[in-house]
């Protein structure tokens, strides 16, 4: 049942281009609360009342403001501003009172879909209503419904048909044979010969969540490979993964806790090196995004009013589109943002988005089905798709999606797009993507801190093969100098248990960011001048200590780094609170810029400190009157490891940034002369 206000909704009044003000709904939140017989008014009221951001607001004057409804473009539909699947509810003061607007709630809009739209996952071009940009479609109340499985099967089939066949001979060491779909056999752990014929398998990404899931160890190995694993013994998340695997017609499933012998260090180290290939060559990855641990299960009833509510049917009437004029047409409204991959998969709503090991699982898997709180979401090289809408959310393989922000990716495929592996003339872009991968990864948590390099080894191996470069504790030699200028948001702790070099971002626990990188989709940093530091290569290791390419990706025992560059000795290089340095050091004078220092850890500095200058980098924006030149001077802050100053450890970085917004020109010709006045030395950094 609808009230007269909701029954009179006109699509033309909701459209933000046709009516900037939107559709005037109720005169206040209090008036809305009295409309209890209207399903849509009740849904709006309940959604606003449960909104956590509004309950924290001290100013509740918005409760007295008039309410408006209007459509807004989707935030995740990149480059498709015509997507009008989101309905915003806001409170807004009249213009004469300042026009203050407060966003109160968001709803998703969808239409009934035709058979072709369900079969293809795209809008039916024969439908007249396709012009209005409503791309939502119904979402099932349960993620294990027949509709959900049909949609999953359609996504998988379409991707497999479009993808080129890969001639990989890799097979996992162990998989779980889930048995036939009729449940006539228990799942069983099987061991594979590396020389056997390849077969398809499905992988699982899940959160251990502080509780130990069912595992394979020395005591259970014989039982799991013999009589099998009884289904009732499997925790809900594993049981659901078995059901999905069977439903899709596959026999083999890979789950880390069952396919790796958990009490064998030797087996773990062996399988850790192969884990990237397990996900990379798997047929499909099942991502239990909403499960906090193995006991939550993959399938969830979508009955939380914040994430899911029964859709409310509203009249669909538009004179501009010629809809609903001769006969009654309908559109449907449901609570929440239904197009947001970033919130549900790569953001705070996903239990997996903060886990370190999961990044390479998501990046390397050719296809992933995410089971989130609200809906299923699919990603592969062909696009990112959602259960709740037709058309893709994003096309991650396109270079127009270059350099994603982290966290909050539009797709994991943006970190490892298909064009990365084929082109030969984009080495700088490949390095930039590695930097973005590290920034995303460093913000994630690891249960075992020493896993920092093993948990990224699978992704690193792809970049390693593409660059054919020396991998050095999370950095590549070909881009080492600028990537040494990483920093943390605030002082953090050294990574316990891992003898990582201080110059590596992996030596600290916490999110890092890199100062010298692409500033946008098209502007690369250019090193300028001759003051850049150089790397002094160590002698080659003894043949007896040679390690394999894969082992090098997980090796934490790196040789000391030797850099030659201009060094500023002593002085008070670090302020008392390790924040900002402003002293008498003869740095550059561009309207008196500030030399900033960023300290890695909060431990006190007790020995001699030097500043090792690394280089000067420029970014050029060219756009007529908007032209601009930015310049960053960067160096390492180093502390001597002993009184004799035979070696140094990194304690942070120092930066000086200058900008010329008046004209496109060199900022100062005396920069290099100032730096070359310093002593040039070779420093051993451990």
């Amino acid at each position: 049942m609808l009230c007269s206000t909701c029954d009179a909704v006109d699509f033309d009044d909701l459209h933000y281009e046709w009516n900037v003000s939107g559709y005037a709904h109720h005169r206040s939140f209090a008036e809305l609360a009295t409309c209890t017989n209207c399903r849509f008014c009740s849904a709006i009221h309940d959604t606003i009342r449960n909104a956590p951001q509004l309950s924290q607001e001290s100013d509740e004057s918005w409760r007295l403001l008039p309410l408006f409804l209007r459509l807004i473009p989707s935030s995740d539909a990149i480059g498709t501003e015509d997507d009008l699947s989101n309905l915003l509810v806001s409170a807004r003061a009249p213009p004469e009172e300042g026009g203050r607007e407060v966003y109160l709630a968001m709803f998703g809009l969808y239409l009934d879909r035709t058979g072709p739209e369900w079969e293809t996952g795209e809008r039916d071009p024969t439908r007249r209503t396709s012009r209005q940009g409503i791309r939502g479609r119904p979402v099932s109340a349960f993620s294990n419904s027949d509709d959900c499985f049909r949609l999953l099967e359609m996504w998988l089939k379409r991707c497999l048909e479009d993808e080129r066949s890969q001639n990989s001979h890799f097979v996992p060491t162990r998989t779980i044979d889930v048995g036939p779909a009729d449940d006539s056999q228990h799942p069983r752990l099987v061991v594979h010969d590396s020389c056997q014929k390849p077969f398809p398998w499905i992988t699982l990404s899940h959160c251990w969540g502080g509780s130990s899931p069912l595992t394979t160890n020395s005591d259970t190995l014989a039982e799991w490979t013999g009589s099998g694993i009884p289904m009732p013994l499997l925790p809900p998340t594993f049981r659901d993964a078995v059901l999905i695997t069977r439903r899709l017609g596959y026999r083999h499933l890979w789950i880390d806790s069952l396919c790796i012998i958990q009490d064998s260090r030797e087996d773990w180290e062996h399988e850790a090196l192969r884990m990237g290939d397990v996900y990379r060559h798997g047929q499909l990855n099942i991502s239990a995004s909403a499960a906090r641990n193995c006991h939550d299960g993959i399938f969830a009833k979508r009955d939380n009013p914040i994430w899911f509510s029964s859709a409310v049917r509203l009249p669909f009437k538009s004179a501009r589109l010629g809809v609903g004029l001769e006969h009654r047409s309908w559109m449907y409204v449901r609570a929440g943002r239904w197009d947001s991959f970033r919130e549900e998969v790569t953001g705070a709503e996903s239990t997996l988005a903060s886990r370190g090991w999961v990044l390479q699982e998501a990046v390397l898997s050719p296809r992933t089905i995410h089971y989130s709180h609200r809906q299923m979401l699919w990603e592969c090289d062909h696009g990112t798709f959602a259960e709740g809408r037709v058309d893709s959310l994003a096309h991650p393989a396109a270079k127009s999606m270059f350099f994603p922000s982290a966290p909050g990716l539009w797709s994991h495929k943006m970190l490892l797009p298909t064009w990365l592996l084929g082109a030969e003339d984009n080495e700088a872009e490949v390095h930039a993507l590695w930097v973005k991968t590290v920034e995303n990864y460093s913000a994630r948590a690891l249960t075992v801190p020493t896993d920092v390099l093993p948990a990224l080894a699978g992704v690193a191996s792809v970049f390693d093969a593409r660059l054919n470069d020396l991998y050095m504790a999370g950095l590549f030699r070909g881009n080492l100098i600028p990537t040494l200028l990483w920093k943390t948001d605030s002082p953090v702790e050294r990574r316990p248990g891992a003898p990582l070099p201080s110059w590596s971002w992996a030596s600290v626990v916490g999110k890092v960011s890199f100062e010298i990188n692409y500033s946008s989709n098209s502007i690369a940093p250019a090193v300028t001048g001759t003051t850049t530091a150089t790397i002094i290569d160590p002698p080659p290791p003894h043949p007896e200590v040679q390690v394999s390419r894969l082992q090098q990706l997980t090796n934490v025992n790196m040789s000391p780094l030797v850099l030659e560059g201009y060094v500023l000795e002593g002085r008070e290089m670090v302020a008392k609170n390790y924040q900002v340095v402003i002293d008498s050091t003869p740095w550059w004078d561009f309207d008196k810029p500030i030399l900033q220092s960023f300290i890695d850890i909060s431990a006190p500095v007790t020995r001699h400190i030097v500043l090792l200058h690394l280089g000067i980098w420029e970014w050029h924006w060219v756009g007529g009157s908007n032209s601009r030149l930015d310049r960053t001077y960067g160096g390492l802050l180093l502390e001597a490891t002993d009184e004799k100053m035979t070696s140094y450890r990194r304690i942070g970085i120092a930066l000086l940034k200058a900008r010329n917004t008046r004209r496109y020109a060199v900022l100062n010709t005396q920069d290099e002369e100032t730096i070359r006045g310093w002593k040039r030395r070779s420093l051993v950094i451990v």
Side-chain angles (χ1 to χ4, degrees), residues 143 206-211 213 234-241 288-301 349-352 371-373:
S143 54
H206 68 106
C207 180
W208 287 39
S211 62
L234 291 172
T237 299
F238 294 5
R239 194 160 55 241
D240 290 345
S289 300
R292 297 164 298 176
N293 52 53
C294 65
H295 305 292
D296 279 357
I298 296 174
F299 304 130
K301 182 181 179 182
E349 293 179 15
S350 171
T351 58
L352 297 182
Y371 287 87
S372 74
H373 287 285

Side-chain angles (χ1 to χ4, degrees), residues 3 5-6 23-29 31-35 38 41 44 65-68:
C3 65
T5 301
C6 293
Y23 180 74
H25 197 238
H26 284 279
R27 289 177 292 184
S28 67
F29 182 72
E31 181 181 285
L32 175 73
T34 64
C35 193
C38 176
C41 288
I44 295 175
L65 300 177
L67 302 182
F68 290 86

